Structures are given as structure tokens and as C-alpha cells.
Amino acid sequence: MIFLEVAVAAPVTETLTYGFPAAESHHLQPGTRLLVPLGHRQVTGYLLSIKPAEETAFQVKQISAVLDSKPLFPAGMIPFFRWTANYYNYPLGEVIKTALPGGLTQQSERYITLLAGKERLAEFTSGFDTEKTDWLSDLVERGTLSPAQTRRIWRSHKWRHLLEIWRDEGLIAINDTISAARTGIKTERCVGLTTSTPANAGVKLKMSEKKALALVQDFVEKGLPSPVPIKQLNREYSGAGKALKSLAEKGLVFFAEQQIFRDPFGEEPPFFPEPAQLSEEQLTALAELLPAIDKKDFTPFLLFGVTGSGKTEIYLQAAKKALEAGRSVLVLVPEIALASQLEAHFFSRFGRNVALLHSGLSSGERFDQWHQIMAGEAKIVIGARSAIFAPLTDPGLIIVDEEHDGAYKQEDTLRYHARDLAVLRGKLQQCPVLLGSATPSLSSFHNASTGKYRLLTLANRIENRPLPVVTITDLRQTQKEKTNFPFFSKDLIEAIRNNLRQGDQSVIFLNRRGYANLMLCEDCGNPVKCTHCDISLTLHKNEKVLSCHYCGYQAKSPILCPHCRSTRVREIGFGTERLEEALKLLFPEARIARLDRDTATNRREFIKVLRAVHTREIDILIGTQMITKGHHFPHVTLVGVIWADAGLGIPDFKAGERTFQLISQVTGRAGRGDKPGRVIIQTHQPDHYSITSAEKHDYLSFYAYEMKLRQTLQFPPFSRLVILRFSGANESLVRTAASLTAQAAEKETELQGIILMGPAAAPLVRIKDKYRWQILLKGNDAGRLHRLCEKIVAQPVPAVRTGKVIMVMDVDPESML
């Protein structure tokens, strides 16, 4: 017997030890999945280490099954998983489950079978509320309840207790089954040639058989892999199927199942040629970066380059160097939309050596990409935040593009920050990490300023093209002007008109989708809110629905006021859909497109619009923040920012930083080609430091001002933050749980040097029918802060312990909402 250290895919904080026969262990490797017993059920476990058996005071259970013939992740990633679980206070097995492609977790599930007749069951169910026990009629009619139905019922203590009584009475049986993996290898039926031929076998062939055999031979001679997919043969000759079956019976061909990989690229992305020469600043940056790749040592770099300065070419040159050294490259982007843009550059340079990992892929595509990476068939991985867990055995370079972006922070389940984990992974796997941005996060620039990171600077655009001229329009003045389109100033309308006359393109930015963000009753004055959240519904006029952008709830439009039943419900505010409607009325001759989550529903649609912008089939592009970062539109000479201070009123210490970054990034889309660019920023706060700094393209002055504020208030990077969030259906219970937790924390000696703020209701107090309260912990000593949180999590208050209130810990929060 040997012992296996296993992390189970369940909320268990410690790893578990299982036994396995030593004689059968030769094929076991860390990184494989196991099916293991946990209590009275079976769950997926991940093998972390193997060690000799030893005398123990406890009984060691044996594993139930080995689920993989090969590891799903390299053993070198296990320390990375352990650190992540410890830092974010999350179960190790759940961390690994998050990292792997979806659909690979197997576990035992309950299902219920009816044993008694309907008459006997009726004796036990008289007086039941049939509306609340719709599952009962399913049990009677079908004689069984599926695992999904059983799982829903089992959550209720009342129904669980009742079902256990029925089982003891012999009315039902509660059985266990092992769920199947939802994702797996995809295969196709193929045909190959045997060593026999008609000449040496003396076999007489029909005309159809000769044609089918010649077709197979022709495919093989052309260099196609053998065996040949039957569907390819059928496309050439519709009668191939029957003929091949006959040829197989005569021993001239054989059939085989062959794995095929689902292609996530679909239509190939646009081609970007390699520049004839690099700028002096690019060469200087590469002279410092490339030797670090050669040394195979951990070095974090911050590439601070203005928009249009050629940061992408630095990424490509550095990736080429890592590949020449025989190592792989991981490239992170904040959003799938940006992945499509960067993917085109890497695909142009490195072809099918590129793999994709992001949530826009189907589970099958993600499964295949994962296995190609694990097998070393793809050396470059591009993806959103979850790609930080890509199974690269020996990464030689990790790139984090637009490192400042808040989308790198996962806001549910495992609340990790992919940029921070990128730096950690580089340290553990001994490779350089390159963080790039035109507007670096304050924490990253602070690290570069203090020598923790090495700073690379690109202060000028390619070919010394000028940065766009920025004009600020005070909306307080323009609102006094009478116009049919109050969200467009006269200056912006005239600028768009001139741009159209000159045949140039314009970008209009508003970080708010939909048609109107508020529906207000003119009779009672109440807004129309989501029934599940404390949020106003947004009107999507084209779809004729009112939608909640937090929980997805939708109501048909037009709508009656839910408070007074009045039909006089008025549209207030505006979003990208309303801008599109207005611009079509103002400029009927213009070709207008919109890019937001409503229009870019998948990668193909997004690439289609981007391609149309590049080929100048679009005159005006309207969009949210997905158009602000990384895109190179050489014919865009005008950018209009509709409402620059939309995010300044949010109760969050990063509001000013996000506003500066958004405005600076979208400003950078103008003037990237031969013609100079112009930007018009509309705002109600023209003197706000984040807006005036963006106007001057002055990151350093913004950084200096914002850092003074952060230091005064002791916010990051001058402290570390942890938010404890409480949520539940009963607001009183949630508030009490938060208050009791705060009182318990105040008694801890670890609280010395830590500021405890709250408890207080979250700014968005109700989301998805759950009330939300939170406690903010702030301190300079990260170790002390984590020890305090571990004590709080280890000794939860009663409401949390019973599950009536959910408590989650958010380390290094990106949002205070």
C-alpha cells in the first residue's frame, strides 16, 4: 500500500490521505483525477503527491477509481495552486476545479425511486400543498426523481427529513449514482489502408469499390494524415460509405476512431505584417527585456507606453525570444474582446502555435485547447483571466496586457486577481513577467517607482505621431442650449459632420449600454426597479424589454408602473442604443455600428465588426469600454466621450483612477494613422483632476495627485484590504451576522494595527434576492491581516455556520460595491 495526498473538489480546507495498492501505482502521476470516497458520497479528487505508507492512528480509505491515464496539469503547478488557496482562503480542491476546463468533475449523486403504490403514498401525503410539492406528482407519474430534482429537494431540511422517513417506511429508495463527466474527447470515424493491395491480394473489385479505394489512396498520397476522415471521402464521393464497408470486409481498408480537435478560431483573424523596423524606444526596451528571457530567471517588468507606442510589437518580439529558447509563452488580456485583437497579431506571426483559453469557448473547445497545451502542441496561450491556470510546463515569459484593468479580478467563487497571480507564477516557475499598459495601475507603477519592478518606457507613438488634441466641453453650459439630442454638444455634432465630409472614421464612447437607464413614473414619481435587486431596470428598445444588468431579470416593455399601475412611464437617461438611434437620425448617410455586450454576443460577431472598421465599411463606431483598449483603428481621427464623469460618483476609492484610465484609453484610439486625431470630452466636472490629467495625456501628474489622496486615507498601495461580505434572504439575519462578526474581530489581538470599518450595508444592498452587508479590514501587515481573517472564517457566527447567511472573504478587492 502507498499513500496519496489528494485535494477533493469540495469545500474542504485540508488535503486528504487515501490508500492505493503499490503494485498498481506505476501509472499514477500527480495531476491526475481520482474518484474518492468523502463521507457517504463519491467526489472528484486531484492527486498532489505520492508517498510510502506509514503507521497511522486513523483508518485510511482507498480511492474508488483513477479517472485519467495522463495528468491534467503539470506537477510544477501544484505549489502555485497551494499558494493561491492559502492566500485567497479558498479550498485547494476547489481552486484546482476552477483552473480546469468545466465539465470534468464527477461525484456521486442521489436519485429517488418510488417503491410503494400510489394508494399507499397518498396516506402519507394528504393535506400537502401541491403547489409547493410539484416534485411529488413527478414521483408518482414517473416513479423516479432525477439527481437534479433530488438535489433541489435535499437542500430543504424539512423535505430531506420527510424523505428519510419515507425511506424507512419502505415507500421510496434513495440511491446513489456517479455523475458522468460533461466534457470529453471528440472523435470521428476514419478509414486507412491496410498493407494489402488489389495487385498482391488478387481481389476482384466492383467499380464503386475501386473508386473509393482510389480516393483513399489519393488522399494519402497528397500527404493527408492517415487514416482519412470518412466525412471527407463522402464529400468527394457520395457512395463511399457502402463501398468502404465492403473493402473492409475484404481486408483492404480498416476503420478507426480518431480524436479531432474542436477549432476555436473559426474564421481566421485579420493579418498584421511585421514592421520593417522598430523605433529607438522599442529597441531600448527590448535590449533590457530579452536578456532576462535568456537568463531564465524571474524578473518583473512594467512596460509603460503611451497609446500607439508599439507595446504589442514588444510582446511579439519577446515571445519569439522565449520560443527560440524552447520555452512557452502565456499572454493574458482583460476581456475576450481584447483577446480577439491580440490573437490576430500572434496568429499572424506564429500561426497555429497559438492556443486560446477563455470563457467565450465552448466546453469542448476549451477541453481540446487545454489538452493541446498540456501535450506541448501549442507553445503560446492567449486568454482572459482564467488562462493564468494554463497547463504550461515551462513558461519562459508571461505577458499581462492592459495590466491596470479591473476585469483581471474574479468577482465570485475564487476571488483571485490574475495579474497578481501572473507575478507569483513567474516567481515560482522562474520566468520574466511583463506587465503592459498606457495607464498603469497605481500599485504597479508604485512597485516600479520603488524598484520592485523594472520600468520600461515608451513615451512616444510609432513614427513620432502626435497624441490627439483634446477639448473639454462643459455639459453644464451645453444643457442650457435647446436641442433634440441633449447628450451631444454642438461642437461634437459639428466635428462628426466634418469627419464624415473628409471620409474619416469616428468613435463615440459611453460606458453604459441599453437605450435608457431609468424608467420613471410621471404620476407617482417611483422608478421601475428589478424585482430581485435594488437596481433600476434598463430599457433595451430594440428587444422591447427592461433588463437588470446584475441578475438578468427581464420584463416586457412597455410596462405599467408597479406602484400605481399608471401607463405614463417615461424613459430617463441614455445608453449606447439611444446614441445609435440619435446618430442615425442626425447622419442618415453614415454607416454606423455599435459594439457592446448586446451586439457582440460572440467572438465571430465581434471580429466581424472590427474587420468592418479596418476595411472602412463603418463611419461611426459607438461602444462601451470594450472599444477603449488595445484596438488599432488607423483611420479614426475623432473620438467623442459622451459623459466622462459617469463613474466619478461611485462610492469606491478607485473611481478617479478608473475614470482617468477609461478616458485616456479611449482617447488613444484617435490619430493612430497618418492623420492627426481630435478628442472631445463632455463632462459635468471639467476641473476634476482625473479629467484634466487625461486631457493633457499626463499620467505622472494624475499619479502624484492620486497617491497623495491614497496616502492620506491609507488606501492601497499604502495598505492592504480585505472585505468580508455577508448575504442572505433575511436582511435582519445578515445585519446581525455582520455585527456579531465585527464584535468578535474587535476582541482579537491580531486586530492591532488593523482598521476595522463597518459593518455597513453594501452600496448595492440587494442583488439576486440577497441582502448584502460588509466589513472592511485595512492594514499594513498582510500576514496579520490574513491570520485575523483565518480566525474569523474558522469560527463563524451561528447564522453563517447554519448556512442561513453566506460569508465570503475578498482579498485585495477591486470593487467596493
Side-chain angles (χ1 to χ4, degrees), residues 412-456:
D412 54 18
T413 59
L414 171 60
R415 290 167 168 78
Y416 65 92
H417 200 300
R419 179 202 60 214
D420 298 343
L421 287 186
V423 176
L424 169 73
R425 188 167 182 185
K427 184 176 182 180
L428 293 177
Q429 298 200 277
Q430 290 299 293
C431 72
V433 179
L434 179 59
L435 313 179
S437 177
T439 55
S441 64
L442 266 69
S443 58
S444 293
F445 200 79
H446 177 70
N447 286 335
S449 302
T450 56
K452 191 174 180 180
Y453 296 168
R454 287 167 66 176
L455 182 64
L456 308 175

Side-chain angles (χ1 to χ4, degrees), residues 233-286:
L233 299 171
N234 283 329
R235 280 198 291 266
E236 299 287 332
Y237 173 38
S238 59
K242 186 176 180 181
L244 289 171
K245 185 177 180 181
S246 179
L247 288 170
E249 291 171 354
K250 294 175 180 178
L252 298 177
V253 299
F254 65 91
F255 293 113
E257 289 292 324
Q258 186 168 281
Q259 182 178 0
I260 58 173
F261 291 98
R262 288 152 279 211
D263 185 8
F265 288 94
E267 182 184 357
E268 288 193 0
F271 180 78
F272 289 91
E274 186 171 355
Q277 63 182 26
L278 302 182
S279 70
E280 287 297 323
E281 288 185 326
Q282 286 175 317
L283 292 170
T284 301
L286 287 169

Side-chain angles (χ1 to χ4, degrees), residues 717-733:
F718 299 101
S719 67
R720 306 295 286 272
L721 301 182
V722 175
I723 289 181
L724 296 173
R725 291 193 173 94
F726 301 81
S727 62
N730 186 311
E731 185 177 15
S732 177
L733 274 179

